Amino acid sequence: MNPRMSNEHFQVAIIGSGIIGSVLALGLIRRKVSVQVYEQAQSLREIGAGIAFTANARKCLTLLDARLDDCVTAVGTVNGDPACPNNNMQFIDGYTHDALKHVSPGDDLVEKTLYKLHAGPRGFEGCHRAHFLDQVMKLIPDGVVHLSKRLDSYELPEEDSGENKIRLVFCDGTTAEADVVIGCDGIKSRVRELVYGKDNPISYPHYTHKIAYRGLVPMDQAIARLGESRARNQQMYGGPNAHVLHFPVAGQQLMNVVAFVTDPNDWPLDRNMTQPATKDDVAGAFAEWGPTVRIIIDLLSPAMDKWAVFDAFDHPAPSYAAGSVCIAGDAAHASAPHHGAGAGIGVEDALALSVLLDRVRSEIEARSAEKATAIPAALKAFSTVRHERSQWLVRSSREVCETYEWNNPSCGSDMSKGYEDVKQRSHKIWYFDIDGMLADLDEEYQKCLME
């Protein structure tokens, strides 16, 4: 193979234009890495509801492309009084009460400790996933994102064939070529399935036996029933085998409510993860809870959605890289939402990949490295550096749910012990050493080049 020909037209293909695929694309574009994004949907959309980026995740967004932080600001909703935002995550016992004593909503919480965990400036500023993605897509140049491109397969170049591109085959019969393929195609990732095989349990997410009931409540109705302070501030209510979270969204016009309950049944993967539900379905799970939580559930619409929580805990991917193909974000390490950090960890992935592929691009252009060695080395370095932290999140997201729901044997129903457990885990997410990660990537890349 002609070395000069092998280094021409360095091209990255991203499969999936959700949040991680899109911010990665912007990070690469900013670094002058040629990239194309292939999205299976006919229109751009993001599944899910609320999302919050910690201060640490926002720093990663800024390092990808400084305009991304503005995207968060444009659609974010401050927590609490807009004139004096509340940057705390808040936890309280929503279950314990005197069932024989009639009290008004809120009164059952008066003598209980409200545990507050400071998340940093603007550290708990929620937004809707779709609204954030809309802002991001405005920054991506025309011709980069291709819709209705569902990946069917990819074909690696044969040795000694003179070819050095990966051939992508889409379900509509069209094809494309790239030097690097990155699967950012979510929890049901086709790229992950192609890497690990159709009959391999690693290729698929698995049910956590938790269901999230989700609803949006008009803020005026929430204030009328709960009081202004409670309605406008994020709060988590813990109790046995379930927990409830609410926080303001849509410029504080709505209160987003998520109620998690345990489900002993199975949920087949081929069944849509989001299904219609009713308020009666969830009310029974909280019938014995305190009046405040019961009122929150009563505020929900008679018809709502329920979301089956899947993750990658049971069969984790041992590596995120396979030669010149890799997976990132939920495709690599889908976690349950109990830390609210899946997107933030995916943003860290995107920063790591953008920095590594920028280095590959510059070395290829300078003729100081060859694609055949530099690309696999970069992706292997990405996997090595990112694997431990991202897999920890998958595990900890399940474990912290047990703490919220009083099933952690070291905490039980002791909210003070539970708070310390949540604090330790949250700080590991929020105070991640980004510069240290970048240094580790550089060191690991050099090591992989020499292997």
Side-chain angles (χ1 to χ4, degrees):
M1 187 189 307
N2 185 328
R4 180 177 180 82
M5 289 297 293
S6 72
N7 277 342
E8 290 181 352
H9 310 300
F10 176 55
Q11 179 74 41
V12 176
I14 296 173
I15 309 301
S17 67
I19 288 176
I20 305 308
S22 298
V23 301
L24 172 57
L26 272 181
L28 293 174
I29 291 168
R30 178 195 164 199
R31 291 164 174 79
K32 303 187 187 310
V33 177
S34 181
V35 60
Q36 296 289 295
V37 181
Y38 301 96
E39 167 58 45
Q40 67 176 351
Q42 296 179 358
S43 60
L44 295 171
R45 67 196 182 357
E46 177 66 24
I47 297 174
I51 186 173
F53 293 110
T54 65
N56 190 74
R58 292 181 75 139
K59 180 179 177 181
C60 288
L61 286 171
T62 300
L63 291 172
L64 279 161
D65 186 315
R67 299 172 296 174
L68 284 169
D69 190 61
D70 296 332
C71 293
V72 180
T73 301
V75 298
T77 296
V78 297
N79 184 44
D81 182 355
C84 185
N86 177 3
N87 294 312
N88 296 310
M89 290 182 65
Q90 301 185 141
F91 311 86
I92 200 165
D93 173 359
Y95 178 80
T96 306
H97 67 289
D98 186 346
L100 299 178
K101 182 179 179 181
H102 176 75
V103 296
S104 300
D107 290 348
D108 58 318
L109 307 178
V110 169
E111 296 183 0
K112 296 178 181 178
T113 301
L114 177 63
Y115 296 95
K116 299 181 180 182
L117 190 55
H118 185 63
R122 297 168 63 192
F124 200 93
E125 193 168 290
C127 62
H128 194 288
R129 287 174 176 268
H131 298 166
F132 174 70
L133 184 61
D134 286 344
Q135 295 295 317
V136 175
M137 295 309 300
K138 292 175 183 178
L139 304 178
I140 296 181
D142 293 341
V144 171
V145 178
H146 307 272
L147 302 176
S148 299
K149 295 297 178 185
R150 183 181 180 87
L151 182 67
D152 180 62
S153 62
Y154 60 78
E155 300 169 3
L156 300 175
E158 295 182 6
E159 292 186 18
D160 302 321
S161 66
E163 298 293 332
N164 66 323
K165 298 283 188 182
I166 301 171
R167 184 170 181 264
L168 302 170
V169 181
F170 299 100
C171 292
D172 63 1
T174 60
T175 62
E177 291 185 336
D179 298 288
V180 181
V181 176
I182 305 173
C184 296
D185 46 345
I187 192 168
K188 292 186 177 181
S189 171
R190 174 61 174 163
V191 178
R192 181 177 174 130
E193 182 183 349
L194 291 171
V195 168
Y196 283 104
K198 182 178 180 180
D199 298 324
N200 192 334
I202 292 174
S203 298
Y204 310 104
H206 298 269
Y207 189 38
T208 68
H209 294 280
K210 296 290 181 181
I211 290 178
Y213 291 89
R214 303 180 300 185
L216 294 169
V217 179
M219 187 59 74
D220 58 346
Q221 295 180 22
I223 290 173
R225 302 287 299 278
L226 298 171
E228 185 160 6
S229 177
R230 191 171 309 284
R232 293 193 184 278
N233 279 275
Q234 177 274 345
Q235 197 149 294
M236 176 91 73
Y237 304 84
N241 301 311
H243 67 284
V244 178
L245 169 70
H246 65 72
F247 55 89
V249 296
Q252 295 217 344
Q253 297 302 304
L254 297 169
M255 186 178 80
N256 184 60
V257 178
V258 189
F260 292 93
V261 301
T262 302
D263 175 26
N265 303 307
D266 291 328
W267 193 294
L269 185 59
D270 59 1
R271 184 186 184 194
N272 195 307
M273 292 180 183
T274 301
Q275 295 287 331
T278 68
K279 181 164 61 178
D280 290 342
D281 293 338
V282 65
F286 296 94
E288 297 182 1
W289 286 51
T292 300
V293 168
R294 295 201 306 270
I295 287 297
I296 292 169
I297 300 302
D298 190 57
L299 279 165
L300 296 171
S301 299
M304 67 183 78
D305 288 333
K306 64 179 179 181
W307 168 34
V309 180
F310 280 69
D311 68 9
F313 175 79
D314 293 327
H315 299 278
S319 174
Y320 303 153
S324 297
V325 178
C326 79
I327 48 178
D330 280 354
H333 43 75
S335 64
H338 307 301
H339 270 306
I345 296 292
V347 168
E348 294 174 11
D349 285 354
L351 177 61
L353 283 167
S354 67
V355 168
L356 284 166
L357 292 176
D358 179 37
R359 180 162 182 175
V360 169
R361 174 201 58 78
S362 63
E363 291 182 356
I364 286 174
E365 290 180 355
R367 304 301 183 194
S368 60
E370 297 293 328
K371 286 181 185 179
T373 55
I375 292 172
L379 299 187
K380 184 177 180 182
F382 162 75
S383 178
T384 300
V385 172
R386 294 296 303 155
H387 195 272
E388 180 179 356
R389 175 170 168 81
S390 55
Q391 289 299 321
W392 172 86
L393 179 73
V394 177
R395 181 178 68 256
S396 186
S397 294
R398 282 212 184 185
E399 292 171 349
V400 80
C401 181
E402 296 299 287
T403 299
Y404 296 150
E405 300 186 356
W406 298 1
N407 291 321
N408 182 335
S410 66
C411 305
S413 61
D414 187 329
M415 291 289 292
S416 61
K417 290 182 179 179
Y419 167 75
E420 290 301 323
D421 180 72
V422 174
K423 179 180 178 180
Q424 181 180 18
R425 295 173 187 276
S426 298
H427 282 184
K428 184 167 181 175
I429 297 168
W430 299 348
Y431 301 114
F432 177 55
D433 183 1
I434 299 171
D435 292 334
M437 177 190 75
L438 297 178
D440 289 343
L441 289 168
D442 178 73
E443 180 181 349
E444 192 64 33
Y445 173 65
Q446 292 292 343
K447 186 187 302 182
C448 292
L449 276 178
M450 295 185 289
E451 290 179 351

